[in-house]
Amino acid sequence: MKTKIILFILGIIPLIVCCQQNASTDASKIKKGMVKVTILYPNGDGKTFDMDYYANKHMPMLANVLGDSLKLLKIDKGIAGRTPDEPIPYLAIGYLYFDTLSAYQNAFAPNAEKIVGDIPNYTNIQPVVQISEIFE
C-alpha cells in the first residue's frame, strides 16, 4: 500500500509542477492594457458544440492565421451554472489576447471569412463576442 501511495505522489508532483509553471508562464504574458477578445457560446435548447473540433482544429487554425499578434489563447469548457445543479450558461468560452485593439483588428480583418466560415464545423450557436481591456 505504501508503494502505491509513493508512486501516486511521485506521479502527481510533476503534474502539479507542470500546471503551476504553465499558469505562471501564461500569467506573465498578460499585462494591464492588453486587449482580450472573449468568445462566448451560450447554452440552450437544440444548441450543439463539438469541443474536440474547437480545441484541436478551429483554435489552432485561428492561432495560425492571427500569427504573432495573438499573444495567448485559452479555452473554457462549461461544466455547471451558478451551482453544480444548474445548467451551464455557456457551452464554451474562448479567450484571445492581443497587445492592442489595432493588433487584433489588423490580424482578424483579413482572415474573418476563414475564421467565421469555420464556425458551422463545430457549432450551431451564434457566438457572442466581447472585446475588453485588461484592467488589472
Side-chain angles (χ1 to χ4, degrees):
M1 183 66 173
K2 283 184 180 181
T3 304
K4 287 183 181 180
I5 293 171
I6 291 170
L7 289 174
F8 172 77
I9 291 170
L10 290 175
I12 197 82
I13 288 173
L15 178 63
I16 292 169
V17 170
C18 174
C19 291
Q20 288 174 339
Q21 288 173 342
N22 286 342
S24 65
T25 301
D26 289 350
S28 69
K29 292 179 183 179
I30 302 170
K31 309 242 186 288
K32 184 176 181 174
M34 288 181 77
V35 168
K36 176 170 69 171
V37 178
T38 305
I39 308 107
L40 303 112
Y41 296 90
N43 192 11
D45 288 340
K47 299 207 174 167
T48 61
F49 194 90
D50 182 343
M51 183 59 78
D52 184 58
Y53 185 96
Y54 186 67
N56 296 309
K57 294 188 177 157
H58 180 76
M59 290 305 246
M61 177 273 295
L62 184 74
N64 184 49
V65 299
L66 296 177
D68 292 338
S69 62
L70 179 66
K71 301 305 177 190
L72 183 65
L73 176 150
K74 289 288 184 185
I75 300 170
D76 288 350
K77 178 181 178 181
I79 58 171
R82 186 173 42 97
T83 67
D85 296 337
E86 291 184 20
I88 55 176
Y90 300 99
L91 294 171
I93 305 173
Y95 304 95
L96 310 172
Y97 293 84
F98 300 86
D99 285 332
T100 64
L101 180 57
S102 62
Y104 162 66
Q105 292 169 322
N106 293 335
F108 183 81
N111 298 293
E113 190 173 317
K114 181 175 186 173
I115 294 166
V116 173
D118 192 46
I119 293 173
N121 290 324
Y122 61 90
T123 189
N124 63 355
I125 300 168
Q126 175 66 46
V128 175
V129 178
Q130 176 171 308
I131 300 173
S132 307
E133 178 182 341
I134 302 297
F135 186 73
E136 201 170 312

